[in-house]
Amino acid sequence: MLKIPPDYTFLVQIAIFVAFWLLVTRLWFRPALRIIRERRARSEGAIREARTIEAEAERLRAEHTAALDETRAEAQRKLQEIIRGAEAEQKRLIAEASAEAQRTLAEVQARVAEEVAQARRGLRDVAGEIARMVTEKVLARPV
């Protein structure tokens, strides 16, 4: 039970408590709080550095993506250019082949026409000879 006024033991307990408090504060609380503050500062610094690194990584990723997109677009343009060139070359080759085929066809037609004409002349000569021979046989005398 608390007496009023308190006796000297209460004052001794208060003195011991204050001394213990000062001793614990100096030897335990201040170092512990200092370590906690240092850890918090290091953690916050590390977090800031991590955010900076993350932002830099995101920037580099965006640059890399943009460079890839640009490279893909350039490759697509070059591919289209190559395709257009190949199509033009194909058309040119087809036109040359068609022209060559037309020339060859015209030459063959001319040769065939000449051979037909020669065959007709030969047939006319032979037909005349055959007609004369048939006439001689029918008339039984030379014509």
Side-chain angles (χ1 to χ4, degrees):
M1 181 90 73
L2 186 62
K3 294 194 245 172
I4 305 228
D7 63 354
Y8 77 94
T9 59
F10 181 70
L11 294 176
V12 170
Q13 286 178 357
I14 290 176
I16 290 173
F17 179 77
V18 170
F20 182 73
W21 179 257
L22 292 174
L23 183 66
V24 169
T25 301
R26 183 176 185 125
L27 295 177
W28 180 256
F29 290 140
R30 284 183 189 160
L33 290 173
R34 182 180 46 79
I35 290 171
I36 290 171
R37 280 191 299 270
E38 288 174 0
R39 285 183 180 172
R40 181 181 297 134
R42 278 188 299 208
S43 295
E44 289 172 356
I47 289 171
R48 277 192 305 272
E49 184 178 345
R51 286 183 180 147
T52 303
I53 290 171
E54 185 178 2
E56 178 68 14
E58 186 61 35
R59 184 188 65 78
L60 290 173
R61 189 177 301 114
E63 285 180 9
H64 179 63
T65 302
L68 280 176
D69 290 344
E70 183 178 330
T71 302
R72 282 187 186 116
E74 181 65 27
Q76 189 66 26
R77 282 191 299 272
K78 286 184 180 182
L79 180 63
Q80 291 299 323
E81 184 178 307
I82 289 170
I83 289 172
R84 282 192 298 274
E87 287 173 348
E89 180 69 13
Q90 179 185 18
K91 288 178 183 178
R92 184 186 66 76
L93 290 173
I94 289 172
E96 286 179 5
S98 178
E100 181 65 27
Q102 290 297 326
R103 281 192 300 274
T104 304
L105 181 62
E107 289 174 5
V108 168
Q109 285 176 342
R111 264 189 274 146
V112 167
E114 179 63 32
E115 289 175 6
V116 166
Q118 285 178 351
R120 284 184 180 160
R121 283 192 299 269
L123 285 175
R124 260 189 247 129
D125 294 341
V126 171
E129 185 65 30
I130 291 174
R132 192 177 60 74
M133 289 170 52
V134 169
T135 305
E136 286 179 355
K137 295 249 183 193
V138 170
L139 296 177
R141 64 179 180 99
V143 181

